[in-house]
Amino acid sequence: MTRTLHALTVLVSLGSAVLGQAAAQSADLNVTLYAANPEAPAPGSGWETADLIRAASGANLKFTMIPTGADGDNKIGALAAANSLPDLFEIRNRTLFYQLIRQGQIAPVGPLLTLMPQRTRARYSSTTRNGLVNENGQMYGLQEPAALSRQYGIMVRQDWLDRLNLRAPTTLEDFLNVARAFTERDPDGNGRKDTYGYCGVIDFDNSGIFPSLGLGNHFQWIYGAYGVPGTWNYRNGTAFAANLRSPAYRQATEYVRKLVDARVMDPDWATMKRSDLRNRWQQGRCGMFFESVGGFNAGFKNFDANNPRGDATFIAAPTGPGNHRSMGTYANAGTLLVVSRKAMDAGKGQAIAKLLEWANSGPGYMQLVFGTKGLDYTLVKGVPTVTNRNATERLTDTQLKYLSLNGSTQELKARYATARYSDGRSVSLSDLLAFTQRRNNWIDRSGDLVVPAAPNQADIDRYVSESLVQFVLGQRPLNDSSWKSFQDGLNGLNFTAYEKNAAAALRANGYLK
Amino acid sequence: MTDVLHPSPTAARATARQRGLQRAWRHRGLYLMLLPGLVWFVVFRYWPLWNAQIAFKDFQPVQGILHSPWVGLGNFTQFFHSYYFTQLMTNTLLISFAKLLIGLPPAIVLAVAIHESTRGRLARFTQTVTYLPHFLSWVIVFGILLAMLSPSSGLVNRGLQATGLDPVNFLTDPGRFRFVVIFSDIWKETGWSAILFLAALIGISPSLYEAAEVDGATRWQRIRHISLPGMLDVIVLVTLLRLGHILDAGFYQIYVLYSLPVYSVADVIDTWVYRQGIQNFQFSLATAVGLFKGLIGLLMIVVANRVARRYAGQGLY
């Protein structure tokens, strides 16, 4: 009897162990990332990559793709409010990141580092970069080094320049003159006054460029030409302050007003969305416009169809007084991956580490970044080259690539291949990217990532942006007394405390001496 | 002393309860039909009230609603002390009251016009055409407005330019933006609002109109003395219900239409809550403002109901 009981106990134990292992192996791993290829859908069932991930990490991948921008941030915020965060997810909104730390919803990732030695060595060995995700001595995120930043710039219609016998502008003065010619001298030759010199919108998207207080990304190059791009001026040392305190900031605003008064900008600029802007340059209504390489690639076919012999290319950021020039500011940090505390408590840390290690290099890296070998890409002299497969299917296959990107040249060449006009001309998108990244004097403001949001951040953002728009639209005079009144108004928003907190955070993290 | 004619209070209560139950059983079909509605109210209206306590807490999802720390009226104070509080209240009330006062008459007029029309086909066509915009999303309406009002390519501005006038940027001019908001709302919703009034008109006995016609009443007199009084109940009802939502100035509409140049005249409580509460993840603050709006709405309904009962002889309850 005793022997039988012992045998039963052993059997039950063995069964439990096997079941436990099976349960562990079949555990779901919820991964949520911003859309890597928004133009393509999320992968469906039967995705080969999911099978490979199951083999590599022992977990069933449940992948959710969220939209970029505020909609995606809100989605993560809503999941957090419902205490239903995914196991592993990407986070772009730093306010939310710090809030989740404070609320204890995300776990320190230190214990994962030893479980993925190769990835840690390759990606998480920079003390400075890791400092961007440290809080109270703990590392709360996996800050990827590869940033697909600085892909924006001013594009110009080279064919219009040629037609009007003009040279690409290099200074602010040139810019206004060329913009005026594009507006008034019928550059498309259709006999109608339906073109504008410059098209930009008020946009604060934070992918690829750091949005600053004020008029947003599409006008930062003007503030850059006056030496005050971005929100903060790191160079002032102990006199650290927001750029908008500088007299140069007012001069830059006056230049924007000059563009508005000269009527060389699309008059809908203050109400248009980015999609409206894209429609307009594709329709051939903009002589110069602010765009990213990715955005140009997405609209290239329409542009080519609407503008036979059309030719658009980047120009370098125009130079302003004092020889300043910069297209804007950026963060030298890429994707931020975080792990929810629930996932860590549920013992999913090991599976997450296995997945990330697999995604770091070798077959896993190639699968996530380039897709399935032979189907999505082939190796030509060691360089992954996309096949003729339907682009949407290829892009769907690589929706998880934010787990893998390392910023190598071959990645960029695969993403930004060559675009061909219908008349046989071609343009290398990776060359365009290289141009805008290298020739625009972008300013590294990675430190902005550690600046805490003010409790009334939305009011501060509104006050500054609204005031500047009123100045440039002429709804408010732009003179000494109105500018002083604008500066004085900051006191009512406790702006000085915001500046002080920014300075303290930047000093604490070594960004300010 | 109790007898058959004077039963004891306990016995009387038991009898009344029994009668009530018998009555309920007799009308069980009706009660059954009522049940889904009641369940809906309990689940989606009353149960969330329990969660509204996060308005008084620093909501921590990990700790749950019950265990999040109390902050008293801190979230309310943050809203009341916000830099734009006065402007937000002014904009919200102005836009809301304007939509109510300017938007209601066209719906009444449209309902009366359709009701008075002797051409059935034309009336039905008009009704369909006027309520179709209700089904358009505000994003589509924004596209239509941009096509109409854009200073670069809008139809209206092309017309202005053709007559030698300067183009007007209706969507960025603070002096004109509220008109765009109010009149686009009227254009979109008048047909839909008219349905209720039309239903009230159809409910009026035709014999009243026939008798008035026999007595020689003109069409205007019939409208004034039969149609409008016949609609009064519904007009009061609609007004009271709308007053309950007086601090909802139309989030979707404003959010889609507004832009930085017109924030000073267009930013309303809900858009502020979206930016400060939702986009900055201050959910307790967002709930506090929601609760505040609800209380003001309740107060408005109670006061307006009393006023309506006193002066119009009609009320919601």
Side-chain angles (χ1 to χ4, degrees):
Chain A
M1 181 72 185
T2 316
R3 203 177 290 169
T4 314
L5 275 174
H6 274 281
L8 269 174
T9 311
V10 169
L11 272 174
V12 168
S13 309
L14 274 172
S16 304
V18 171
L19 282 174
Q21 202 178 1
Q25 278 181 349
S26 62
D28 289 342
L29 194 60
N30 292 300
V31 177
T32 296
L33 301 176
Y34 286 83
N37 304 305
E39 61 272 44
S45 57
W47 190 31
E48 192 191 344
T49 305
D51 296 336
L52 294 170
I53 287 174
R54 192 177 302 113
S57 68
N60 290 325
L61 176 75
K62 302 279 177 194
F63 174 49
T64 307
M65 216 166 84
I66 54 173
T68 53
D71 288 345
D73 297 346
N74 292 346
K75 168 90 178 162
I76 298 280
L79 288 170
N83 199 18
S84 306
L85 284 172
D87 300 323
L88 171 69
F89 61 103
E90 186 189 348
I91 196 163
R92 292 192 178 173
N93 186 309
R94 292 277 158 165
T95 307
L96 179 59
F97 174 63
Y98 287 112
Q99 182 129 328
L100 295 183
I101 294 174
R102 192 175 66 86
Q103 294 177 345
Q105 290 212 67
I106 52 178
V109 291
L112 297 186
L113 299 181
T114 49
L115 300 174
M116 43 183 195
Q118 284 186 44
R119 189 177 181 104
T120 300
R121 212 167 24 252
R123 298 167 188 248
Y124 314 126
S125 51
S126 158
T127 319
T128 315
R129 200 178 307 111
N130 288 348
L132 296 173
V133 287
N134 279 353
E135 186 77 3
N136 302 323
Q138 299 258 44
M139 189 171 156
Y140 278 93
L142 300 166
Q143 180 65 71
E144 298 292 315
L148 195 56
S149 59
R150 299 166 291 152
Q151 56 162 318
Y152 279 92
I154 302 169
M155 299 206 87
V156 67
R157 286 290 298 266
Q158 184 62 47
D159 53 321
W160 289 8
L161 285 175
D162 296 342
R163 189 193 293 265
L164 299 178
N165 204 18
L166 296 166
R167 291 174 65 181
T170 56
T171 64
L172 288 182
E173 202 179 7
D174 285 349
F175 188 91
L176 181 57
N177 290 334
V178 170
R180 202 172 263 139
F182 281 165
T183 308
E184 293 166 0
R185 290 172 53 193
D186 190 21
D188 57 358
N190 68 357
R192 290 198 301 268
K193 195 167 179 282
D194 58 355
T195 54
Y196 291 102
Y198 180 64
C199 298
V201 294
I202 299 172
D203 183 66
F204 296 94
D205 179 51
N206 59 4
S207 54
I209 184 168
F210 238 139
S212 67
L213 279 179
L215 295 175
N217 301 343
H218 296 211
F219 297 92
Q220 267 211 63
W221 57 271
I222 296 173
Y223 290 84
Y226 285 88
V228 282
T231 301
W232 307 106
N233 185 350
Y234 289 28
R235 286 169 303 179
N236 276 359
T238 50
F240 171 85
N243 271 325
L244 57 82
R245 303 280 197 193
S246 160
Y249 199 84
R250 176 181 159 186
Q251 290 165 5
T253 308
E254 282 167 347
Y255 180 82
V256 185
R257 172 138 184 199
K258 206 191 263 188
L259 291 179
V260 174
D261 286 348
R263 299 188 177 191
V264 297
M265 286 196 351
D266 187 323
D268 291 331
W269 71 274
T271 43
M272 279 198 304
K273 313 273 185 280
R274 211 174 349 151
S275 54
D276 301 315
L277 165 67
R278 286 184 165 157
N279 284 336
R280 294 191 184 194
W281 68 253
Q282 288 164 26
Q283 288 162 3
R285 292 171 61 179
C286 307
M288 291 180 279
F289 51 94
F290 198 80
E291 188 51 281
S292 66
V293 180
F296 179 63
N297 188 22
F300 182 79
K301 272 189 183 165
N302 274 344
F303 174 73
D304 184 35
N306 293 331
N307 304 273
R309 304 292 308 162
D311 182 11
T313 189
F314 277 122
I315 57 169
T319 308
N323 277 332
H324 292 297
R325 68 177 202 91
S326 169
M327 194 58 79
T329 56
Y330 74 103
N332 192 17
T335 305
L336 171 55
L337 299 170
V338 291
V339 178
S340 69
R341 188 174 288 277
K342 273 169 67 176
M344 210 64 112
D345 291 348
K348 293 184 179 180
Q350 195 160 18
I352 290 170
K354 277 184 180 173
L355 164 64
L356 293 176
E357 186 76 333
W358 174 77
N360 176 60
S361 59
Y365 166 81
M366 296 300 280
Q367 180 72 26
L368 296 196
V369 175
F370 302 108
T372 305
K373 191 176 177 185
L375 185 63
D376 294 306
Y377 75 95
T378 52
L379 284 178
V380 179
K381 293 178 185 170
V383 177
T385 307
V386 295
T387 60
N388 288 331
R389 191 187 185 198
N390 177 298
T392 307
E393 290 173 356
R394 180 165 44 81
L395 292 170
T396 298
D397 256 3
T398 54
Q399 294 287 24
L400 267 175
K401 67 181 169 193
Y402 283 140
L403 294 183
S404 292
L405 292 177
N406 60 25
S408 66
T409 311
Q410 67 175 14
E411 274 178 10
L412 296 178
K413 282 195 170 163
R415 183 180 176 96
Y416 298 115
T418 298
R420 295 191 189 284
Y421 289 100
S422 48
D423 62 4
R425 289 171 299 136
S426 64
V427 52
S428 162
L429 297 170
S430 54
D431 284 353
L432 280 182
L433 181 69
F435 178 93
T436 192
Q437 285 189 329
R438 291 173 196 159
R439 298 282 301 278
N440 278 320
N441 198 23
W442 290 93
I443 295 172
D444 183 352
R445 286 283 186 264
S446 302
D448 282 16
L449 294 173
V450 302
V451 173
N456 59 340
Q457 190 66 47
D459 286 347
I460 290 176
D461 293 347
R462 175 191 153 173
Y463 178 81
V464 177
S465 296
E466 186 186 17
S467 302
L468 293 190
V469 164
Q470 287 171 341
F471 283 131
V472 300
L473 285 179
Q475 291 175 356
R476 216 168 148 180
L478 188 41
N479 53 38
D480 289 349
S481 85
S482 62
W483 191 257
K484 184 175 180 305
S485 157
F486 160 61
Q487 299 271 338
D488 290 347
L490 293 167
N491 298 331
L493 288 152
N494 220 5
F495 194 80
T496 312
Y498 178 42
E499 283 176 310
K500 273 185 185 163
N501 289 339
L506 289 169
R507 280 201 188 94
N509 287 279
Y511 289 98
L512 201 63
K513 299 282 176 270
Chain B
M1 180 97 188
T2 61
D3 53 32
V4 178
L5 290 175
H6 302 94
S8 70
T10 319
R13 270 201 301 274
T15 314
R17 197 182 308 131
Q18 205 169 5
R19 258 194 239 121
L21 286 173
Q22 279 170 352
R23 211 168 27 239
W25 181 248
R26 206 163 44 242
H27 299 297
R28 60 189 177 279
L30 292 175
Y31 283 107
L32 208 62
M33 282 193 275
L34 184 68
L35 198 62
L38 277 178
V39 169
W40 186 88
F41 263 98
V42 169
V43 173
F44 294 107
R45 293 291 179 196
Y46 290 106
W47 177 246
L49 284 178
W50 166 255
N51 299 334
Q53 62 177 290
I54 68 168
F56 305 95
K57 292 186 163 190
D58 176 12
F59 176 52
Q60 307 280 331
V62 175
Q63 294 175 31
I65 292 172
L66 267 184
H67 299 104
S68 293
W70 291 97
V71 293
L73 296 174
N75 293 312
F76 293 88
T77 317
Q78 186 182 345
F79 174 54
F80 297 144
H81 289 175
S82 69
Y83 189 77
Y84 292 108
F85 176 73
T86 315
Q87 194 182 77
L88 294 171
M89 288 300 287
T90 310
N91 287 342
T92 306
L93 290 171
L94 263 177
I95 292 173
S96 221
F97 271 115
K99 279 184 181 177
L100 179 63
L101 297 176
I102 305 174
L104 213 51
I108 296 168
V109 170
L110 180 67
V112 171
I114 291 171
H115 185 249
E116 288 293 318
S117 171
T118 51
R119 296 183 179 184
R121 272 187 161 186
L122 179 68
R124 279 196 296 277
F125 176 75
T126 309
Q127 193 182 349
T128 308
V129 166
T130 50
Y131 79 59
L132 273 182
H134 169 79
F135 297 102
L136 298 177
S137 76
W138 277 111
V139 176
I140 293 171
V141 175
F142 174 72
I144 295 170
L145 284 173
L146 203 60
M148 299 287 288
L149 303 175
S150 158
S152 62
S153 56
L155 278 177
V156 173
N157 274 309
R158 280 191 183 171
L160 287 175
Q161 281 170 308
T163 55
L165 295 169
D166 276 341
V168 176
N169 201 335
F170 293 93
L171 294 172
T172 58
D173 182 349
R176 293 183 170 92
F177 185 76
R178 280 191 192 134
F179 291 100
V180 175
V181 169
I182 291 158
F183 286 105
S184 59
D185 184 71
I186 291 174
W187 173 77
K188 190 171 179 295
E189 299 299 338
T190 294
W192 186 254
S193 309
I195 292 175
L196 267 180
F197 300 123
L198 202 54
L201 286 170
I202 290 167
I204 298 172
S205 168
S207 59
L208 290 174
Y209 289 102
E210 287 160 11
E213 210 169 339
V214 169
D215 289 346
T218 62
R219 176 168 283 189
W220 171 241
Q221 284 170 325
R222 289 200 304 268
I223 291 171
R224 193 176 157 197
H225 296 291
I226 301 172
S227 300
L228 290 178
M231 294 163 73
L232 193 61
D233 284 2
V234 178
I235 294 173
V236 169
L237 176 82
V238 169
T239 309
L240 287 176
L241 290 177
R242 287 222 198 161
L243 280 172
H245 292 276
I246 205 68
L247 293 186
D248 294 329
F251 170 77
Y252 295 111
Q253 182 196 14
I254 307 272
Y255 183 70
V256 169
L257 295 187
Y258 82 161
S259 58
L260 279 168
V262 292
Y263 268 30
S264 57
V265 295
D267 200 13
V268 293
I269 294 175
D270 284 345
T271 46
W272 182 86
V273 167
Y274 176 71
R275 295 197 310 274
Q276 185 71 38
I278 307 297
Q279 291 196 309
N280 279 323
F281 315 105
Q282 298 183 28
F283 295 108
S284 291
L285 172 69
T287 309
V289 179
L291 208 56
F292 167 73
K293 282 173 53 189
L295 286 174
I296 297 290
L298 181 66
L299 193 71
M300 292 294 289
I301 286 188
V302 170
V303 172
N305 191 58
R306 284 196 176 178
V307 173
R309 285 179 76 89
R310 187 161 183 180
Y311 294 105
Q314 316 278 351
L316 193 59
Y317 53 88

